[in-house]
């Protein structure tokens, strides 16, 4: 009996340690991440009134994220996720607090300030995300057979931030301007840094030269996997094209809703919160659909929903229609994400999973800064037409992708 009592005693503190050391820091960071991601483009639009600068700010958030993905991974491997997370969150708090002080006092040159803010927050968000993901993975590994429970809680934390963040960002920009938004983001960042225990996992790679060599081999391995797994390559290729439409919807929505539909910045945030609800419901539904009807049918239906809704978004003339159509569009995108994650888990060999995953993330995120640059380059009146063109290209790309996938064996192992 003694060992069993001892085992129960050892297990009892684990949930508390997970809440204190993983879930709470993750929640605070996800809140700051969401506020910055959705709030800064709204802040740019409210501050400058320029659709071009709003699109440029969107691009300036995403370009640094792509640039620092591999650097963030290397630093996390070398120094451990806890240290990187705490330093990153502290730096983000200092950056946004500085912007909160400078912006209201500026009489000119606010454009440069918000662009620097967008770039700095984008890069720091990526560092904190990689560190938080590593911490969550380490907790899942230690949980053993309870790993799925840890991941489900982490997914719930992220989805809660995604639901609340955009709406709160819109309301803060509308009611308090830059001061309220940036102060809230700084407070959540500092809270995340304080909540993260000093040490949650040992560094994986102690020598930077070894890490760099492994990284270089990993990138080549990732490309090799895509070449050897045509089903995965086709799906990633189709989703890269589809993500250009997704990025354009995200980048143009503040301009369309505020300047063309005549609604407030708070209304923009509510759109993304509604879209997050629709996406979450689609994810839950698709898990059951995949088990019964398989990956290909689930993906084809999701692609049809996403492409059709995106085409309709380009024709929306009222706010209520825009809200519903964007929510349906994001539901379709959520279904495609489930299909991609499932196919990835089936087809990527375990020894090179991390490298291939990183490569697919880079490919899938690449269209987002391009979407921001398109918004910056086009006149506001042409944005809705550009969205229509991208929607047509998306529909064609997804149709070709799933027609090709129908003949490939990769989507057959669909039943868990």
């Amino acid at each position: 009996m003694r060992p069993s009592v001892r085992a129960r005693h050892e297990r009892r503190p684990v949930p508390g340690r997970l809440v204190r050391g993983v879930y709470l820091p993750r929640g605070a960071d996800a809140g700051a991440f969401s506020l910055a991601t959705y709030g800064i483009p709204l802040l740019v639009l409210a501050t400058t009134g320029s659709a071009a600068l709003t699109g440029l700010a969107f691009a300036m958030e995403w370009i640094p994220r792509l640039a620092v993905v591999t650097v963030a991974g290397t630093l996390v491997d070398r120094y451990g996720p806890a240290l990187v997370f705490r330093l990153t969150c502290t730096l983000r708090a200092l950056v946004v607090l500085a912007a909160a002080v400078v912006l209201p006092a500026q009489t000119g040159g606010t454009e440069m300030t918000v662009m620097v803010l967008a770039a700095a927050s984008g890069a720091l968000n990526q560092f904190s995300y990689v560190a938080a993901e590593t911490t969550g993975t380490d907790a899942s590994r230690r949980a053993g057979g309870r790993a799925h429970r840890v991941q489900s809680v982490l997914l719930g934390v992220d989805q809660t931030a995604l639901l609340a963040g955009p709406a709160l960002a819109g309301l803060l920009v509308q009611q308090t301007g830059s001061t309220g938004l940036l102060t809230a983001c700084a407070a959540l960042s500092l809270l995340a840094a304080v909540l993260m225990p000093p040490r949650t996992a040992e560094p994986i790679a102690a020598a930077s030269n070894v890490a760099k060599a492994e990284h270089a081999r990993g990138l080549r391995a990732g490309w090799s996997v895509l070449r050897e797994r045509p089903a995965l390559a086709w799906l990633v290729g189709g989703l890269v094209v589809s993500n250009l439409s997704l990025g354009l919807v995200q980048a143009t929505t503040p301009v369309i809703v505020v300047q063309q539909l005549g609604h407030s910045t708070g209304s923009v945030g509510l759109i993304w919160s509604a879209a997050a609800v629709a996406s979450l419901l689609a994810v839950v539904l698709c898990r059951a659909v995949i088990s019964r009807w398989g990956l290909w049918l689930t993906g084809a239906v999701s692609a049809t929903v996403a492409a059709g809704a995106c085409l309709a978004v380009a024709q929306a003339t009222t706010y209520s229609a825009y809200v519903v159509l964007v929510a349906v569009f994001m539901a379709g995108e959520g279904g495609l994400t489930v299909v991609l994650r499932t196919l990835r888990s089936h087809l990527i060999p375990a020894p090179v999973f991390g490298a291939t995953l990183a490569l697919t993330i880079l490919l899938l995120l690449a269209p987002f800064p391009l979407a921001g640059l398109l918004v910056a380059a086009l006149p506001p009146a042409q944005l809705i037409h550009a969205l229509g063109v991208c929607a047509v290209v998306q529909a064609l790309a997804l149709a070709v992708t799933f027609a090709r996938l129908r003949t490939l064996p990769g989507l057959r192992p669909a039943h868990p």
Side-chain angles (χ1 to χ4, degrees), residues 281-307:
L281 292 175
V283 168
V284 174
L285 177 63
C286 283
R287 289 174 182 172
V289 173
I290 289 172
S291 298
R292 183 165 184 178
W293 285 292
L295 279 174
W296 186 88
L297 184 60
T298 305
V301 172
S302 298
T304 302
V305 170

Side-chain angles (χ1 to χ4, degrees), residues 33-62 65 114-115 117-119 121-122 125 166 169-170 173 181-182 247 249-255 258-259 265 268 272 372 375:
F33 189 109
S34 185
L35 283 179
T37 298
Y38 291 95
I40 288 178
L42 289 175
L43 180 61
V44 172
L45 185 62
T47 303
T48 67
S50 170
L53 288 177
T54 302
L56 185 59
F58 186 85
M60 290 297 290
E61 280 189 301
W62 282 100
R65 291 186 188 182
V114 291
M115 290 301 120
L117 174 63
S121 66
N125 283 343
V173 171
L181 173 70
L182 298 177
V249 168
Q250 291 185 355
T252 58
T253 290
V255 179
V258 174
Q259 294 189 348
T265 55
V268 179
W272 295 121
V375 175

Side-chain angles (χ1 to χ4, degrees), residues 23-403:
Y23 301 150
L24 289 179
R26 174 76 164 245
D29 177 66
F33 189 109
S34 185
L35 283 179
T37 298
Y38 291 95
I40 288 178
L42 289 175
L43 180 61
V44 172
L45 185 62
T47 303
T48 67
S50 170
L53 288 177
T54 302
L56 185 59
F58 186 85
M60 290 297 290
E61 280 189 301
W62 282 100
I63 291 173
R65 291 186 188 182
L66 296 176
V68 304
V69 167
T70 56
V71 177
T74 299
L75 290 178
V76 167
D77 286 345
R78 185 175 183 184
Y79 297 107
L83 178 61
V84 174
F85 183 89
R86 297 176 79 188
L87 288 177
T88 298
C89 290
T90 303
L91 284 174
R92 182 172 57 199
L94 293 175
V95 167
V96 295
L97 276 178
V101 173
V102 170
L103 277 174
Q106 278 188 306
T107 56
T110 57
E111 296 87 352
M112 180 62 67
T113 302
V114 291
M115 290 301 120
V116 173
L117 174 63
S121 66
L124 293 171
N125 283 343
Q126 192 65 55
F127 274 94
S128 70
Y129 176 77
V130 172
E133 279 289 290
T134 305
T135 301
T137 300
D138 180 70
S140 298
R141 191 180 300 115
R142 293 197 304 269
R146 293 173 170 262
H148 65 286
R149 297 188 181 185
V150 175
Q151 286 298 321
S152 65
V153 174
L154 291 174
L155 178 60
V157 169
D158 290 343
Q159 288 296 329
T160 300
L162 188 59
L163 289 173
L168 180 59
L171 291 174
L172 286 172
V173 171
Q174 180 181 348
Q175 300 297 328
T176 66
S178 61
T179 303
L181 173 70
L182 298 177
T183 301
C185 184
L188 287 170
S189 296
L190 285 175
L191 181 61
V194 170
L195 289 173
M196 175 63 77
R199 192 175 181 182
T200 57
E202 293 293 332
I204 297 172
S208 59
N209 291 335
V210 173
K212 291 177 181 178
E214 290 296 328
H215 171 66
R217 286 197 293 270
L219 287 179
R220 290 194 295 269
W223 282 113
S224 297
V225 170
L226 288 183
R227 287 195 300 267
E228 295 167 2
R229 307 294 195 277
L232 181 62
W234 272 96
L235 185 58
V236 169
L239 292 182
V240 167
V241 178
S242 181
N243 277 357
L244 180 59
S245 292
L246 175 58
L248 200 58
V249 168
Q250 291 185 355
T252 58
T253 290
V255 179
I256 292 174
V257 171
V258 174
Q259 294 189 348
Q260 297 183 17
L261 299 180
H263 282 257
S264 66
T265 55
S267 300
V268 179
L270 292 175
I271 288 177
W272 295 121
S273 293
V277 173
S279 180
L280 181 59
L281 292 175
V283 168
V284 174
L285 177 63
C286 283
R287 289 174 182 172
V289 173
I290 289 172
S291 298
R292 183 165 184 178
W293 285 292
L295 279 174
W296 186 88
L297 184 60
T298 305
V301 172
S302 298
T304 302
V305 170
C310 192
L311 285 167
V313 166
Q315 310 301 320
T317 57
T318 65
Y319 176 76
S320 57
Y322 197 88
V323 172
V324 172
L325 291 171
V326 169
V328 174
F329 173 58
M330 293 303 294
E333 289 289 334
L336 287 172
T337 301
V338 175
V339 172
L340 173 64
R341 287 175 178 266
T342 307
L343 185 65
R344 225 161 35 186
S345 66
H346 284 312
L347 295 185
I348 300 177
V352 291
F353 187 87
T356 310
L357 177 64
L359 178 61
T360 59
I361 289 174
L362 286 173
L363 293 173
L364 292 169
L365 294 185
F368 286 91
L370 177 59
L373 294 176
L374 282 175
V375 175
L378 294 173
Q382 299 298 318
L383 292 179
I384 202 70
H385 302 297
L387 182 58
V389 171
C390 285
V392 171
V393 174
Q394 175 195 26
L396 292 174
L398 291 176
V400 171
T401 295
F402 279 92

